[in-house]
């Protein structure tokens, strides 16, 4: 029996989990309490470096702040990537505070309020326009401010990223402008209060098929080349979206970066003349940060019911909703989860639950673990993305989790 | 075409939605911004009064704070019910601040930390003990504090509440003590640091079958009578749990209170001698508050994609996760949802989405609505329970929703 854990984590001679060279227990002590999220700076940097090494030269890398908006982490990422993508005025403020140049920030989201458009215009961030109505509102606000709005067009593509955890193309959608309506909106971007920055297509997320990802990138470049004819200028930047998945579950295989990089290089090399001057960007959230984070919680109680053994922790779905299978998933499967305090010679089948008074709060269902008892730390991996802020933290009135960037 | 909305709401002559006698727009103006939750005090009071009128005399009514912990609402409920049930030290503090006597507060939850047990013991609240280990910890803390712990035993029943939205009995469970293990834990409650307060059984939630609810109550009373033989004293209070459902979806039928009250009276009248001196309580959360709350959000954009018309609002799953079908439900169905600004002669099929950049954020899927445009208010009913605090509020960095108790 060996632990299932992402690369970059190991155990010391006493069997204790090491995160960035120190024991999980040491990090919990430093945080002052559990539960605590621990994010490893070096793993984040290594991830970006591996991606850059594999991808075509000149390809920009953007970090989607929504995946993990911890301010210190965003500041760390800002120093590693070429741009930040935000989804609200709150995230825009975060990105600016992190030191990212406004010109390298793009703002997407189907429901931007006037005050949010105004904040983006005044800061000089690029607005990914999602409808004709939104472009009109941005123009009015820009005119009133006497300042051009940087705009890019987000397109709802007629194709989908096949096999994605979440499809965002190929169907009626609140995101972006249908390709059929795009020429008209692009022509409107020639208006005097607009500074045209390019196009953005996002076809899906959490995809583990290199073939499907490359096929979507190929279709994206073809569609952008066709639509660019209607734009006021050659697109300065084409945001290819992301969709790179991470291996949460047994049998999932990490993406082959070399294959993706080679494929994307071929696609870009073969791009039509109309896109020769354009730069290209990948926008990644989950793929950059998920595997660099661990969620640590402590066993409060151990009990047996109906022949099943339960470990009851001080963690739960209020911090790790996705790990309990209750956010965007139909079938619950276990995230990688280990006893961080010991790696016993004896193994047991145990169910790990959170402290919330709801049957939804199950972190690990009949999972093979080292013999575990009250006081031990449980580590849930893949916790760097869509953890704290994608969970109902106020549910049942428990304190906020700690977060460490180490 | 008529609106689907709970009793207690209506429209004025101009077709505008009225909440507690004023328009939704007036409440949004008073809140200063949207989205806003509006909870109607009078509807809450009427709900409690209707329940009391139907239930046997002497039956206690408890409010489970987790359903809606807005402090003003908890204080309002504290004046209407006989007790509050809490699920964390945070909720305990809230209940005490709301003015509820500590002796009428019970604290349930599978993962109570030592500091939480200590807070309950020092305050004098009743701890619903969920394992032998927890009882032991409570005894140690009580001894150290020189103060008895008020304890009740939570039992994991060998039967389930049939047809519940969420089963909490009849299987291996992290909640409570299996009936087979209960005698031993009850005997331990004779210890000097314990003040035995009774028993608690919770068999399921969100149930709309009077027959199933009464059957569970009957089984509960029988089980409690049997187990009470092992208790240090006749149980002062038997918490029958709740599980009363509310009609979220078309075809759902509200519970018949008269039938439930009559049935429960028969069960209690026929109880064995060992429970003659016991009082009984119903613990309800959702049923008391869900229908008294409305979530108001404003249409920011309207667009067409792939032939489908979308209303994009400033609300979303960060405030109303359950309404998007992403919390504890497998099949997404629409909560009652109307245009609160107008009740047009013309109706359309529209999809209503939130402002978040994720396809999960769908509040209403192809729903029949009055002709709707930018600036109109959308009202989502059944928003009084498991709304703000049961949603990932920090997701994507939008501001907190307003809450009004009116």
């Amino acid at each position: 029996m060996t632990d299932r854990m992402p690369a970059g984590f190991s155990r010391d001679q006493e069997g204790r989990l090491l995160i960035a060279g120190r024991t999980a227990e040491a990090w919990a002590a430093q945080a002052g309490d559990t539960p605590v999220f621990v994010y490893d700076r070096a793993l984040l940097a290594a991830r970006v470096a591996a991606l850059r090494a594999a991808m075509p030269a000149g390809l920009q890398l953007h970090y989607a702040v929504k995946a993990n908006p911890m301010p210190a982490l965003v500041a760390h990422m800002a120093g590693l990537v070429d741009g930040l993508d935000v989804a609200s005025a709150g995230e825009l403020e975060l990105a600016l505070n992190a030191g990212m140049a406004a010109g390298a920030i793009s703002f997407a989201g189907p429901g931007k309020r006037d005050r949010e458009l105004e904040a983006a215009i005044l800061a000089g961030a690029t607005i990914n326009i999602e409808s004709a109505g939104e472009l009109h509102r941005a123009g009015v606000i820009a005119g009133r401010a006497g300042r051009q709005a940087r705009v890019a067009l987000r397109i709802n593509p007629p194709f989908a990223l096949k096999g994605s955890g979440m499809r965002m193309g190929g169907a009626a959608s609140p995101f972006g402008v249908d390709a059929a309506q795009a020429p008209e909106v692009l022509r409107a971007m020639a208006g005097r209060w607009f500074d045209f920055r390019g196009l953005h297509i996002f076809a899906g997320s959490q995809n583990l098929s290199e073939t499907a990802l490359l096929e979507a990138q190929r279709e994206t470049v073809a569609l952008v080349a066709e639509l660019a004819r209607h734009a006021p200028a050659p697109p300065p930047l084409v945001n290819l979206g992301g969709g790179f998945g991470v291996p949460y579950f047994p049998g999932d295989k990490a993406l082959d970066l070399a294959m993706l990089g080679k494929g994307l290089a071929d696609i870009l090399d073969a791009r039509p003349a109309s896109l020769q001057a354009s730069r290209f960007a990948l926008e990644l959230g989950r793929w950059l940060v998920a595997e660099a984070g661990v969620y640590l919680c402590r066993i409060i109680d151990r009990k047996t019911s109906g022949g099943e053994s339960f470990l009851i922790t001080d963690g739960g779905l209020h911090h790790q909703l996705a790990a309990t299978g209750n956010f965007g998933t139909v079938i619950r499967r276990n995230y990688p989860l280990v006893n961080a305090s010991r790696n016993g010679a004896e193994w047991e089948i145990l169910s790990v639950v959170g402290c919330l008074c709801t049957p939804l709060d199950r972190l690990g269902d009949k999972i093979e673990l080292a013999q575990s008892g009250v006081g031990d730390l449980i580590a849930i991996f893949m916790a760097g993305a869509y953890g704290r802020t994608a969970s109902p933290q106020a549910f049942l009135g428990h304190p906020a989790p700690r977060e460490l960037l180490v």
Side-chain angles (χ1 to χ4, degrees), chain A residues 10-51:
Chain A
S10 60
R11 292 188 181 269
D12 69 8
Q13 289 189 329
E14 284 84 61
R16 299 172 302 184
L17 177 68
L18 293 174
I19 305 169
R22 293 179 64 195
T23 61
E25 193 61 66
W27 293 123
Q30 177 170 319
D33 199 7
T34 49
V36 56
F37 287 90
V38 185
Y39 312 116
D40 184 327
R41 285 174 194 272
L43 289 181
L44 292 167
R47 194 88 172 165
V48 174
L51 189 63

Side-chain angles (χ1 to χ4, degrees), chain A residues 7-369:
Chain A
F9 300 95
S10 60
R11 292 188 181 269
D12 69 8
Q13 289 189 329
E14 284 84 61
R16 299 172 302 184
L17 177 68
L18 293 174
I19 305 169
R22 293 179 64 195
T23 61
E25 193 61 66
W27 293 123
Q30 177 170 319
D33 199 7
T34 49
V36 56
F37 287 90
V38 185
Y39 312 116
D40 184 327
R41 285 174 194 272
L43 289 181
L44 292 167
R47 194 88 172 165
V48 174
L51 189 63
R52 285 209 192 272
M55 290 295 138
L59 183 73
Q60 293 198 3
L61 299 183
H62 288 207
Y63 171 55
V65 168
K66 64 161 78 77
N68 188 329
M70 180 203 189
L73 185 143
V74 175
H76 180 60
M77 295 303 289
L80 299 170
V81 298
D82 306 301
L84 294 176
D85 297 297
V86 301
S88 67
E91 287 190 358
L92 172 62
E93 187 177 304
L94 194 59
L96 291 167
N97 286 343
M100 181 57 69
I105 299 173
S106 64
F107 181 3
K112 304 183 199 81
R113 305 172 75 158
D114 283 355
R115 74 184 75 155
E116 293 184 290
L117 294 172
E118 186 174 16
I121 291 165
L122 294 179
T126 297
I127 302 166
N128 288 339
I129 292 291
E130 312 241 359
S131 76
E134 188 177 71
L135 182 69
H136 176 75
R137 287 192 291 134
V140 169
I141 294 165
R144 202 165 57 214
R147 179 156 182 177
Q148 277 195 322
R150 287 177 165 156
V151 293
L153 182 63
R154 179 172 181 180
I155 297 162
N156 175 34
F159 53 85
L161 175 47
K162 292 172 191 70
S164 281
M166 228 172 266
R167 275 167 58 129
M168 292 181 87
S173 161
F175 306 105
V177 172
D178 283 6
Q181 303 166 25
E184 185 182 339
V185 183
L186 281 167
R187 282 192 291 271
M189 287 185 175
R192 72 171 285 210
W193 293 112
F194 301 122
D195 174 13
F196 175 68
R197 305 305 305 156
L199 293 110
H200 172 39
I201 293 186
F202 198 95
S205 70
Q206 180 48 24
N207 196 297
L208 288 170
S209 160
E210 295 86 359
T211 317
L213 287 162
L214 288 169
E215 180 59 24
Q217 288 172 348
R218 192 182 321 275
E219 294 192 84
T220 295
V221 171
L223 178 61
V224 165
E226 183 197 321
L227 293 175
R229 295 186 293 120
H230 307 280
L237 184 71
V238 177
N239 180 335
L240 298 166
F244 288 22
V246 293
Y248 284 106
F249 307 116
D252 283 357
K253 211 170 130 286
L255 287 169
D256 180 336
L257 289 185
M259 179 177 167
L260 283 171
K262 171 75 170 60
L264 184 54
D266 291 345
I267 292 167
L268 295 183
D269 287 348
R271 69 186 185 275
S274 61
L275 298 179
Q276 281 306 320
S278 299
R279 300 199 67 181
F280 291 80
L282 278 182
E283 171 180 338
L284 298 170
R286 187 194 309 269
W287 189 89
L288 288 172
V289 297
E291 297 184 53
V294 185
Y295 177 70
L296 299 174
C297 53
R298 200 177 292 282
I299 301 172
I300 297 177
D301 200 356
R302 180 181 168 142
K303 69 201 289 185
T304 305
S305 167
E308 188 175 344
S309 290
F310 291 91
L311 302 177
I312 294 151
T313 70
D314 59 10
L317 68 77
H318 51 320
H319 305 154
Q320 275 284 278
L321 185 59
T324 64
N326 287 298
F327 197 44
T329 40
V330 175
I331 297 166
R332 195 208 164 285
R333 290 184 292 178
N334 292 321
Y335 276 34
L337 182 157
V338 304
N339 184 319
S341 300
R342 66 193 74 253
N343 193 15
E346 313 228 355
W347 296 81
E348 308 180 88
I349 302 296
L350 297 164
S351 287
V352 182
V353 301
C355 61
L356 301 192
C357 206
T358 163
L360 299 175
D361 196 14
R362 188 166 289 224
L363 296 165
D365 191 48
K366 301 188 187 72
I367 205 163
E368 199 163 14
L369 282 178

